[in-house]
Amino acid sequence: MKKIFSCILTFVALGLMSGSVYGQDYNSQLVDGQSCTSIMVGKKASTDGSVITSHTCDGRYRTWMTVEPAADHKRDAVHTVKKGTMHTVHPNDTTGVRIAGTIPQVAHTYAYLNTAYPCLNEKQLAIGETTFGGPDILVNKNGMFNIEELERVALQRCDNARDAIRLIGSLIKQYGYGDGGECITIADRNEVWQMEILGEGPDRIGGVWAAQRVPDNHVAVSANIPRIGKLKRSDKEYFMCSDNIEAVAKKYGLWDGKGDFVFWKAFNASYANGKNFREREFFILNSLAPSLGLSMDMDELPFSVVPDQNVDVSDVMQLLRSTYEGTDMDMCRNIKTVVNRKRDDGTVYKDTIISPIANPWMGGNMQGTLNWLKPGTVEFKRTVSVAWCSYSFVAQLRDWLPDEVGGICWLAVDNPGQSPRVPIFCGTTRLPKVYNVCGQKKFDENAVLWKYRKANKLATVSWQRTRDIMMKELMEQEKKAFNGLKELEETVRSLKALESEDYNPSQRISDALNDYTYKVYDNTSYAWRGLEEIFWQMFGMGF
């Protein structure tokens, strides 16, 4: 057995070092299209009145990001709509980028955080995203807008979720939607909505969409499966929809016109197996509301639920780290080995434990090897955190604070189950230079991705040995980042109170916010360099 596991460890280490996570092994994890997760929390469901949305950008997307400044535009200016921006290496890289068209520009656009899927603007408007694909027959590549560009324009032009939904709907109708089925989770200072969008078919420039508000005392989740059910168009407080949904579904044989129309049933993805949930939706909703007795055997889960206890932003971060440890979906539970232990009297006994090499982010090669040795050892489950995540964020929006500091994008790169989060505020105006370079296409010490990825991947090789060390450091860094917020918020409040015709404190505010972002980045990147050194020392005699 020791010889077998030694071979496996060597194979895993070589695979990690050679970058096979991006080859066949990586692709094997994505065959059914399950990438990206978003958790939403209404303001009365959170512990402090925050509205929360989130996003794990799972896949090989760009990890460079910038803060695009607010701007004023001339009357005849246009906005250029692009496709192919999510896999570039740096802000000026145009490889694979093409112009899809132009639309009239508005007089003023807001500053926003330009991630692969743009996610936060200066007015505390935040957008998460998950792809559900839906029926291929509805896709029309000639539509001008892909989802990331709809997010960009909404963040540039809107300061609340409802206006963002209306704008996106109008752009789709006029210029066409050219992407597969997408869900965006749109939040502002007061409420959070889930908007699901598809094309209108290959012969129509347009699209179909529905948006449903998450009640203020509820939580919700989107994880690559449409979740909106019966459309209640008359309920303007909780629903907005395009007027062509049922007609398009009937035209393409997705609904027979009989009985209630259910959005998620008509436009479902094949991997959903006829339901509106799989592992992630169940795990997250069941974790937040165990009293409901939800089950994987149910035919349908509620669109949203009232949590048993109010949810803190740190709870959402923890859920995005989830790997189902200790449940019957834990992929590590059958990967065991035997070790010698001593009793108090000195006698030796055999103890069966989870193998040190067991980790919840095993690639297909590792799973295949273990299942060849003993069939049924590992049954793949799509965990919330995955090793192929590019970046993730939790957006916290707070109406009792000035916008500059009220909105926070808690952002991490690489695996959200391992990486710490750096706060980027609505009023942040610049990021550390390492955020200017994507680290996906080659190793680059100057790319933010590799400031964390090296320790993360090394830890994964013997996760049962490294996990507690890494999680302790992660919790310490998270605590430090939270602890400094109160003082920062008071600083911004005080500066805002001094604002007058003769004094503009915006530069001092942005300096304070930028400094805080830099400080947390410096602390966490230094800590992860330290973890890398600890793990190399730990594995000095072998894995």
Side-chain angles (χ1 to χ4, degrees):
M1 181 62 73
K2 287 183 180 179
K3 185 174 181 179
I4 291 173
F5 275 116
S6 175
C7 292
I8 293 171
L9 281 169
T10 301
F11 175 80
V12 175
L14 289 173
L16 286 169
M17 298 305 174
S18 67
S20 67
V21 69
Y22 297 139
Q24 184 177 1
D25 194 45
Y26 161 73
N27 291 330
S28 70
Q29 306 303 301
L30 299 175
V31 291
D32 57 2
Q34 297 183 76
S35 57
C36 302
T37 306
S38 177
I39 300 170
M40 296 148 277
V41 182
K43 67 189 308 180
K44 293 182 180 178
S46 65
T47 54
D48 63 353
S50 296
V51 180
I52 297 171
T53 189
S54 56
H55 176 207
T56 63
C57 184
D58 301 333
R60 199 178 180 188
Y61 294 94
R62 67 168 168 91
T63 54
W64 68 261
M65 53 198 71
T66 57
V67 176
E68 297 298 323
D72 294 317
H73 306 279
K74 296 179 180 179
R75 179 173 295 183
D76 58 350
V78 296
H79 170 80
T80 301
V81 179
K82 298 177 181 179
K83 293 184 178 181
T85 61
M86 295 192 294
H87 302 282
T88 50
V89 177
H90 53 77
N92 297 319
D93 182 14
T94 59
T95 306
V97 178
R98 67 181 180 87
I99 295 175
T102 61
I103 63 173
Q105 185 57 280
V106 293
H108 180 80
T109 51
Y110 299 125
Y112 70 98
L113 180 57
N114 181 21
T115 42
Y117 292 90
C119 62
L120 179 73
N121 76 6
E122 63 177 293
K123 296 295 184 180
Q124 296 202 62
L125 179 66
I127 307 178
E129 178 273 347
T130 80
T131 301
F132 63 85
D136 291 339
I137 197 171
L138 296 181
V139 176
N140 185 344
K141 293 294 184 182
N142 293 321
M144 183 184 295
F145 278 95
N146 282 1
I147 195 66
E148 66 274 12
E149 289 300 304
L150 288 171
E151 293 180 59
R152 186 186 319 282
V153 174
L155 291 170
Q156 287 178 321
R157 302 184 181 193
C158 301
D159 64 3
N160 67 86
R162 290 175 186 253
D163 283 351
I165 292 167
R166 294 186 189 102
L167 173 62
I168 289 170
S170 68
L171 292 172
I172 289 170
K173 185 174 183 178
Q174 183 172 358
Y175 299 102
Y177 179 68
D179 223 337
E182 290 277 359
C183 171
I184 49 178
T185 58
I186 310 175
D188 60 29
R189 309 168 192 85
N190 297 302
E191 56 191 31
V192 58
W193 290 71
Q194 186 161 321
M195 183 179 189
E196 296 174 348
I197 309 168
L198 302 100
E200 196 171 338
D203 61 345
R204 294 282 295 178
I205 293 297
V208 298
W209 60 272
Q212 183 172 349
R213 179 184 170 188
V214 178
D216 290 346
N217 63 334
H218 280 224
V219 295
V221 59
S222 174
N224 310 125
I225 296 173
R227 303 266 299 135
I228 294 174
K230 296 179 183 179
L231 304 180
K232 301 176 183 178
R233 286 186 171 86
S234 61
D235 187 353
K236 304 298 183 182
E237 272 300 299
Y238 287 92
F239 283 87
M240 287 188 273
C241 314
S242 61
D243 57 10
N244 60 346
I245 299 173
E246 293 89 346
V248 171
K250 287 181 69 175
K251 177 180 178 179
Y252 291 99
L254 303 171
W255 179 52
D256 61 9
K258 300 175 182 178
D260 292 327
F261 178 83
V262 179
F263 192 93
W264 70 259
K265 287 185 177 180
F267 302 119
N268 213 347
S270 58
Y271 54 80
N273 300 321
K275 298 185 177 185
N276 69 343
F277 73 98
R278 274 184 55 165
E279 298 99 330
R280 285 173 289 162
E281 296 91 343
F282 163 72
F283 180 83
I284 290 167
L285 294 180
N286 186 59
S287 296
L288 295 173
S291 64
L292 295 180
L294 302 177
S295 166
M296 283 291 291
D297 295 327
M298 298 173 72
D299 294 327
E300 179 179 357
L301 289 186
F303 171 77
S304 60
V305 302
V306 178
D308 288 1
Q309 296 180 329
N310 279 23
V311 180
D312 188 72
V313 67
S314 62
D315 297 326
V316 178
M317 295 176 184
Q318 178 60 37
L319 285 169
L320 293 184
R321 290 192 285 266
S322 299
T323 59
Y324 317 141
E325 182 180 357
T327 75
D328 59 4
M329 296 192 296
D330 185 349
M331 289 191 291
C332 296
R333 71 186 191 280
N334 296 325
I335 307 173
K336 297 182 178 179
T337 190
V338 176
V339 296
N340 292 325
R341 298 197 187 279
K342 282 188 178 182
R343 298 186 178 90
D344 292 341
D345 62 4
T347 59
V348 177
Y349 69 97
K350 303 288 186 182
D351 188 16
T352 302
I353 62 169
I354 300 294
S355 171
I357 72 165
N359 77 81
W361 307 297
M362 292 173 287
N365 292 329
M366 182 64 165
Q367 294 174 47
T369 301
L370 292 171
N371 284 330
W372 180 81
L373 291 170
K374 182 179 180 181
T377 300
V378 181
E379 180 184 355
F380 176 74
K381 298 293 182 182
R382 205 304 192 172
T383 51
V384 181
S385 74
V386 291
W388 62 85
C389 181
S390 295
Y391 68 89
S392 63
F393 72 82
V394 179
Q396 181 182 15
L397 312 166
R398 303 174 294 175
D399 66 355
W400 65 92
L401 289 168
D403 286 339
E404 292 92 335
V405 73
I408 312 176
C409 177
W410 293 96
L411 193 139
V413 293
D414 203 52
N415 189 342
Q418 297 176 305
S419 293
R421 298 193 174 276
V422 174
I424 302 172
F425 302 89
C426 286
T428 297
T429 58
R430 56 183 169 82
L431 301 176
K433 288 183 179 180
V434 293
Y435 286 88
N436 285 335
V437 182
C438 177
Q440 295 285 29
K441 296 184 179 180
K442 68 174 184 178
F443 173 79
D444 189 338
E445 279 279 8
N446 296 314
V448 65
L449 182 66
W450 288 101
K451 300 298 182 181
Y452 305 96
R453 174 169 279 179
K454 288 185 291 181
N456 289 351
K457 299 308 181 192
L458 188 57
T460 305
V461 177
S462 190
W463 182 240
Q464 302 302 316
R465 293 175 63 191
T466 61
R467 177 182 54 195
D468 288 348
I469 298 170
M470 178 165 271
M471 288 301 102
K472 180 182 178 182
E473 187 62 55
L474 192 152
M475 291 294 101
E476 288 180 359
Q477 294 298 328
E478 189 173 289
K479 183 178 179 180
K480 287 180 182 178
F482 282 131
N483 285 347
L485 286 179
K486 187 173 182 180
E487 182 179 350
L488 179 66
E489 291 158 8
E490 288 306 312
T491 297
V492 174
R493 280 184 191 271
S494 299
L495 290 170
K496 291 288 285 187
L498 298 174
E499 192 170 15
S500 68
E501 291 184 4
D502 300 321
Y503 177 66
N504 184 348
S506 60
Q507 186 61 55
R508 289 186 62 188
I509 290 172
S510 62
D511 285 346
L513 297 171
N514 294 341
D515 288 347
Y516 198 87
T517 296
Y518 273 65
K519 181 178 73 172
V520 177
Y521 161 72
D522 285 340
N523 288 344
T524 55
S525 61
Y526 181 79
W528 255 242
R529 177 61 184 268
L531 288 176
E532 182 189 349
E533 294 171 355
I534 289 170
F535 297 151
W536 278 124
Q537 179 65 30
M538 179 186 294
F539 301 141
M541 301 300 291
F543 294 106

